[in-house]
Amino acid sequence: MGTRIDLHTILCEIMEQLGFSTKSVYYQPSESLRLSYPCIVYRGSGGNTKYADNVPYIKKRRYQITVIDEDPDSKIPDFIGDLPSASYDTDYESDNLNHFVFNIYY
């Protein structure tokens, strides 16, 4: 598919399309960073490699994407779910914030 930077650009475009700041897309933010909501937080979470004759020929990284929003009916997860190879994992509420978790191979 592409690089992590390509994925970051796509996530920023989603936020911009919905009228939110592109600065609210974070890759592996540190614990001390104060997030601004709604936001998208994503991190690497493994990968998938296909082999032929013991040689890797397809390598894809997996990322976990979490949408964090005060709105339980946020539109952001709909756009994330429409990305190729994105799959919904779970959602939960923590500290009065709604978390929607997806996995994507990119």
Side-chain angles (χ1 to χ4, degrees):
M1 302 247 341
T3 65
R4 183 195 67 79
I5 300 301
D6 296 334
L7 177 60
H8 188 88
T9 300
I10 290 168
L11 298 175
C12 287
E13 288 170 356
I14 288 171
M15 293 298 276
E16 186 174 52
Q17 185 176 358
L18 292 170
F20 300 117
S21 172
T22 59
K23 293 182 179 178
S24 294
V25 177
Y26 306 96
Y27 177 66
Q28 297 182 182
S30 68
E31 294 291 325
S32 62
L33 183 66
R34 183 169 167 81
L35 304 179
S36 117
Y37 305 108
C39 68
I40 297 174
V41 175
Y42 69 107
R43 64 187 75 253
S45 68
N48 188 12
T49 304
K50 304 283 185 194
Y51 295 89
D53 293 328
N54 292 324
V55 177
Y57 73 98
I58 296 176
K59 294 188 255 183
K60 291 185 182 179
R61 291 200 57 193
R62 184 176 67 205
Y63 296 91
Q64 182 184 68
I65 300 173
T66 304
V67 175
I68 306 172
D69 197 342
E70 295 167 333
D71 181 4
D73 297 318
S74 176
K75 302 251 184 272
I76 303 168
D78 296 336
F79 284 77
I80 301 296
D82 288 341
L83 294 174
S85 80
S87 63
Y88 170 78
D89 186 17
T90 189
D91 61 79
Y92 60 95
E93 186 268 333
S94 177
D95 296 327
N96 293 321
L97 293 168
N98 300 284
H99 297 67
F100 307 89
V101 182
F102 294 83
N103 289 304
I104 187 169
Y105 285 94
Y106 200 82

